[in-house]
Amino acid sequence: MIKPTTEVPDLKIPLINDTQWSLYDQASKSFTMIVFYRGLHCPVCKNYLEDLATKLKDFSDRGVHLIAVSSDSEERAKKAGKEWNIPELPIGYNLSIETARDWGLYVSKKTSDKEPDEFSEPGLFLIRPDNTLYASAIQTMPFARPHWDDILNAIDYVNKNNYPARGGE
């Protein structure tokens, strides 16, 4: 488990637009937000990321860089990028199961032919510009994820009141 105020591992991941993304290369003004999602097989992920895609400007206006990442293969991730309504959302793929576990994500094995053999369950991480964890939400299944408006309101409050990270003890 990564505790708030501690440095998170660097994450280097390919994107579906054929570029590379690195957490430590981000120069956000307030946060980098990593949204780990289950993959192409997950209709809840599709809806969640499509909703996020409508709020990209809201996050950008608050100085937040963001990315959505899954354990999907390049082929599956690019298919999601084409079929889902997420045209400007940075999508990373090939998250290894080992890296998912390093981030404290839960891992599931497939229960149907639509799913990859193994994949990570959802997680959301808000990371400060110094690469320390501010907050996280980790799920064991696709349901009950944080709402984007709640995250945006929290970022506003944190930035306005210089609210410290909690839960690091």
Side-chain angles (χ1 to χ4, degrees):
M1 175 174 65
I2 303 169
K3 291 185 177 185
T5 73
T6 64
E7 187 171 349
V8 299
D10 193 7
L11 181 64
K12 295 180 181 185
I13 204 96
L15 298 177
I16 62 171
N17 68 358
D18 299 320
T19 62
Q20 291 286 317
W21 185 92
S22 172
L23 172 60
Y24 286 8
D25 290 342
Q26 301 304 301
S28 69
K29 292 181 183 170
S30 62
F31 293 102
T32 297
M33 184 171 73
I34 302 175
V35 179
F36 293 102
Y37 70 102
R38 301 173 83 224
L40 176 66
H41 64 278
C42 178
V44 177
C45 296
K46 176 184 183 287
N47 293 337
Y48 196 60
L49 294 185
E50 286 180 343
D51 190 30
L52 174 58
T54 68
K55 305 208 181 277
L56 291 178
K57 183 175 181 337
D58 297 321
F59 282 100
S60 180
D61 288 349
R62 289 163 173 83
V64 177
H65 293 186
L66 58 87
I67 184 173
V69 178
S70 77
S71 297
D72 271 347
S73 66
E74 178 178 10
E75 178 185 352
R76 288 174 59 88
K78 286 185 174 184
K79 185 174 182 181
K82 287 178 185 170
E83 293 180 1
W84 298 359
N85 189 18
I86 52 172
E88 296 179 21
L89 182 63
I91 300 292
Y93 60 91
N94 278 347
L95 176 72
S96 73
I97 296 303
E98 178 183 320
T99 300
R101 288 190 170 119
D102 289 345
W103 280 82
L105 299 174
Y106 293 95
V107 174
S108 291
K109 293 186 184 293
K110 75 176 183 177
T111 59
S112 78
D113 289 338
K114 296 180 204 172
E115 299 175 348
D117 290 341
E118 283 187 310
F119 55 93
S120 69
E121 292 295 340
L124 185 150
F125 292 76
L126 284 175
I127 301 155
R128 287 287 195 186
D130 66 357
N131 296 315
T132 59
L133 179 65
Y134 182 79
S136 64
I138 300 171
Q139 282 79 26
T140 62
M141 57 180 45
F143 314 110
R145 300 184 206 189
H147 295 277
W148 302 123
D149 287 337
D150 291 343
I151 299 293
L152 289 164
N153 289 334
I155 290 169
D156 288 342
Y157 184 86
V158 166
N159 288 336
K160 180 181 176 185
N161 296 291
N162 197 29
Y163 193 78
R166 306 303 300 264
E169 302 304 317

